[in-house]
Amino acid sequence: VSLRDASGEAYDCGTTAADGIFKCTLPLTSLAPFVVTIRDSSNPDAQPLVSVSADQPEPGKAMTVNINPLTDAIARTLVAGKADDLNDITAVKSKVTKQTIADIVDAMSVVLGNLAQAAGLTSFNPISTPMKTDGSGLDKVLDLTQVQVIVDEAGKVSAVITTQIKGKNYTITITPATD
């Protein structure tokens, strides 16, 4: 797991524990937004998953930043599918804000909110909702959800999220508005 902060400084957060948890200690000078990346060490050809956060951690306190297919869709949608922009700190600072993240999470909640509630979650945010890899809560939502990030011929990016609730398939396509 690696993390890059608003200054472009990169931090190696080591590997995840068996329960999927990772810890990254940052200096007090490290500022949001953050881009967090995880690579599958058992499959070097696999595309890494990415997450973003515009939240600034309180000094000395832990902050949750999950990395999963939904956070990857959020991150890639924010940069219009241009994965290289996740390495461009100027692009990250202009596109990864509390509001842009909230807009996409709200759109995801339209389809996944009932599923999240059925999984026992009182609030739903794929980035910041604490989770365990035990088939409950956010992990259950992820188990029942398929995510695709699609970039069309014109370069327009969409996140397509599909889930099944009570035998019916529900799909939402999230495409950010252009400036």
Side-chain angles (χ1 to χ4, degrees):
V1 179
S2 62
L3 179 143
R4 184 179 311 271
D5 69 12
S7 71
E9 189 72 31
Y11 302 90
D12 181 358
C13 302
T15 58
T16 59
D19 60 3
I21 292 176
F22 67 94
K23 295 186 182 201
C24 197
T25 303
L26 303 176
L28 293 175
T29 57
S30 188
L31 298 175
F34 302 101
V35 176
V36 187
T37 305
I38 188 167
R39 297 185 188 287
D40 182 351
S41 60
S42 67
N43 183 1
D45 295 331
Q47 183 173 352
L49 289 177
V50 181
S51 187
V52 293
S53 178
D55 293 332
Q56 184 65 37
E58 292 184 42
K61 295 198 175 183
M63 180 175 93
T64 298
V65 180
N66 297 314
I67 309 170
N68 56 57
L70 292 174
T71 68
D72 191 69
I74 291 168
R76 293 177 193 284
T77 301
L78 287 172
V79 296
K82 299 174 185 161
D84 287 345
D85 277 0
L86 291 168
N87 294 318
D88 176 352
I89 203 60
T90 302
V92 168
K93 288 197 282 191
S94 69
K95 296 175 182 182
V96 178
T97 67
K98 288 183 180 190
Q99 188 60 55
T100 58
I101 291 171
D103 290 346
I104 294 175
V105 169
D106 288 348
M108 285 182 173
S109 293
V110 170
V111 167
L112 300 177
N114 287 339
L115 181 61
Q117 198 171 34
L121 295 173
T122 55
S123 65
F124 173 75
N125 184 318
I127 296 170
S128 62
T129 298
M131 69 174 283
K132 296 179 183 176
T133 55
D134 63 0
S136 69
L138 182 55
D139 191 44
K140 184 172 186 163
V141 173
L142 292 169
D143 289 343
L144 299 172
T145 304
Q146 295 177 346
V147 181
Q148 289 181 292
V149 177
I150 300 169
V151 181
D152 68 15
E153 307 82 42
K156 192 172 189 180
V157 66
S158 299
V160 180
I161 302 164
T162 305
T163 191
Q164 192 175 70
I165 303 171
K166 295 183 181 179
K168 291 186 177 185
N169 286 329
Y170 294 90
T171 301
I172 183 171
T173 301
I174 303 169
T175 304
T178 55
D179 295 330

